[in-house]
Amino acid sequence: MPAVEFLRACVCFYGHCQLNLIKCKIGYEKVKSDRKDQSPPITQKFKHLGVKETIVEASPSFLGETTGKYDISIMVEDVLRAEREEKKPCFIVIAGHDVGRIMPLTHRRIIIGRDSTCDEVIAGEGVSRKHAEIIQLDGNSFQIKDLNSTNGVYVSGKRIRETVLEDGDKILLGRQIVLKFVFQDQIDNNYGKKMYQASTRDVLTGVYNRRYLMEKIVTDLSFAHRHALPYTFVLFDVDHFKKINDTYGHQVGDRVLVSLVNAVATEIRNEDLIARYGGEEFAITAPATGVRGGMILGERVRQCVADKPMRVMGGNGAPLHITVSVGLVTALPAAATDAEAIISIADDNLYQAKENGRNRVVTSHIE
């Protein structure tokens, strides 16, 4: 819908809502008959938007209108500018893991696959290390090419070797990942990014949330099973966190959690993922990490927190010293397990670390 038409519709809708509010509260006819000799009605006309006439009638002395009047010209101009500007091409993940993710096509050549060296990394069942290549031909014309992937590239239901993409085409990669090729203006692009962030990220700390974590565990375990790789899962939380909240307040407690994840994030690889599991409890997924690598990771997490005071001031103005307890489990390549079992064992190990005196790492593995 063009921007001007959208604004016209909004204005008309606003007028109708105001009119219905009057009718519901006091009876529109009664207001007109009883109040017509008092203050004159308010008439709002939006001629500058091209609307012939939209009128809202009410008695200001009776309704007590409190809505503030704002200059919306800047927002109107932003909408119109977005309509005028050239729309930018991108992929949007619409099925499989990571739904809502936006991948802008900002380079002339883009490699898509599960390998960490790809321009756009996609972790999904059946996605090859280097699955497909996107090539900008000229202007807004893009070609997709299959890079000899195991399971092929499907565009609008047809397997292809290479083809030129059309706006709205759906591309299937692997067993579940579906990308949609679209052109979006800046407003649509910003909206999509905010929705994706809201659905996958923890509001306080900025790390991934529990819903995203659960999807990632399932994806990582499935990949580990197919390729006979180990997989390590870590749970850790702040020791005596309730005491911090009770002593210094919840705002200080929140800052402790933010500082904690910032510290731990420096100790993990690019392919690892940190997420908030709940409260003061966080998780790390570490694909292709064996027993020894898991023990090293757990100890690095514990040590990076214990050895450095948080850059959060307590009530006496001194930095707070905190510790974490860590429970982790490693599934060996031949292990028959699932996400529920992995989380349960890591949680038991975390509980044992607390029982053993806190500021400890407890590990185990599944054969």
Side-chain angles (χ1 to χ4, degrees):
M1 180 186 292
V4 172
E5 294 295 328
F6 174 73
L7 291 172
R8 289 177 181 172
C10 290
V11 169
C12 292
F13 178 73
Y14 175 77
H16 286 301
C17 287
Q18 292 294 319
L19 200 58
N20 287 332
L21 179 62
I22 297 169
K23 289 180 180 180
C24 292
K25 280 188 171 182
I26 54 175
Y28 182 68
E29 295 300 328
K30 187 175 187 304
V31 171
K32 290 189 69 175
S33 60
D34 293 350
R35 299 278 174 173
K36 65 182 179 180
D37 294 330
Q38 297 183 21
S39 302
I42 300 172
T43 301
Q44 300 177 5
K45 300 182 180 181
F46 301 89
K47 292 183 178 179
H48 63 291
L49 294 178
V51 181
K52 290 183 178 180
E53 188 171 42
T54 301
I55 301 174
V56 181
E57 295 187 358
S59 171
S61 61
F62 188 83
L63 292 180
E65 176 61 52
T66 59
T67 303
K69 187 175 182 180
Y70 300 94
D71 179 6
I72 64 169
S73 59
I74 296 177
M75 189 59 198
V76 171
E77 181 57 33
D78 286 344
V79 174
L80 295 176
R81 186 185 303 110
E83 287 288 321
R84 292 192 297 266
E85 290 178 351
E86 184 179 27
K87 295 184 178 181
K88 303 297 178 61
C90 66
F91 286 129
I92 303 175
V93 181
I94 61 172
H97 177 61
D98 230 6
V99 168
R101 174 183 168 191
I102 297 176
M103 295 182 283
L105 303 181
T106 56
H107 302 289
R108 296 194 68 84
R109 289 179 177 271
I110 295 175
I111 303 296
I112 298 176
R114 73 168 194 269
D115 194 276
S116 60
T117 62
C118 291
D119 301 301
E120 293 290 349
V121 179
I122 294 180
E125 291 188 49
V127 176
S128 296
R129 290 182 180 278
K130 294 187 177 180
H131 200 107
E133 181 180 21
I134 311 300
I135 305 169
Q136 184 176 10
L137 300 178
D138 55 69
N140 283 326
S141 180
F142 289 83
Q143 180 188 68
I144 185 168
K145 181 180 179 181
D146 186 359
L147 297 179
N148 298 316
S149 62
T150 302
N151 295 295
V153 175
Y154 290 78
V155 177
S156 299
K158 296 180 180 179
R159 185 165 185 170
I160 57 95
R161 292 299 303 168
E162 58 183 49
T163 189
V164 176
L165 293 171
E166 300 288 340
D167 190 10
D169 276 348
K170 296 180 177 67
I171 299 100
L172 174 65
L173 304 177
R175 193 170 75 88
Q176 295 176 320
I177 302 295
V178 178
L179 310 179
K180 187 174 183 180
F181 176 68
V182 296
F183 290 87
Q184 292 193 144
D185 61 34
Q186 193 59 46
I187 291 179
D188 287 333
N189 193 53
N190 290 342
Y191 167 77
K193 287 180 179 179
K194 288 181 179 179
M195 292 298 292
Y196 176 68
Q197 289 285 330
S199 66
T200 61
R201 296 282 183 169
D202 174 56
V203 175
L204 174 64
T205 62
V207 298
Y208 287 101
N209 59 24
R210 182 167 178 164
R211 185 190 68 81
Y212 187 91
L213 170 69
M214 299 305 294
E215 290 182 1
K216 189 68 165 59
I217 296 172
V218 172
T219 300
D220 286 351
L221 275 176
S222 178
F223 182 82
H225 290 162
R226 290 197 313 274
H227 298 277
L229 295 171
Y231 171 76
T232 293
F233 179 73
V234 182
L235 279 178
F236 64 95
D237 75 358
V238 182
D239 296 327
H240 302 295
F241 186 68
K242 184 178 184 301
K243 184 177 179 181
I244 295 174
N245 277 336
D246 292 344
T247 304
Y248 304 110
H250 289 275
Q251 289 185 331
V252 171
D254 287 347
R255 292 198 292 272
V256 165
L257 296 182
V258 173
S259 296
L260 169 67
V261 297
N262 288 340
V264 173
T266 64
E267 302 297 326
I268 64 176
R269 307 168 300 175
N270 290 335
E271 56 266 42
D272 298 339
L273 178 143
I274 182 171
R276 190 175 185 181
Y277 188 68
E280 70 273 22
E281 196 168 2
F282 295 86
I284 298 172
T285 63
T289 301
V291 174
R292 178 171 173 74
M295 294 175 63
I296 293 172
L297 173 60
E299 182 57 28
R300 287 175 63 182
V301 169
R302 185 203 66 78
Q303 195 169 14
C304 83
V305 178
D307 290 353
K308 300 176 184 177
M310 294 289 103
R311 293 183 178 180
V312 177
M313 300 302 175
N316 58 1
L320 290 176
H321 288 260
I322 67 170
T323 59
V324 294
S325 296
V326 182
L328 67 85
V329 59
T330 298
L332 298 182
T337 187
D338 56 20
E340 184 177 354
I342 285 280
I343 295 172
S344 177
I345 295 171
D347 192 47
D348 288 343
N349 289 344
L350 175 60
Y351 177 80
Q352 193 61 50
K354 297 283 189 183
E355 288 291 299
N356 291 348
R358 296 181 171 82
N359 191 24
R360 281 166 171 73
V361 180
V362 173
T363 71
S364 61
H365 63 272
I366 307 171
E367 296 182 351

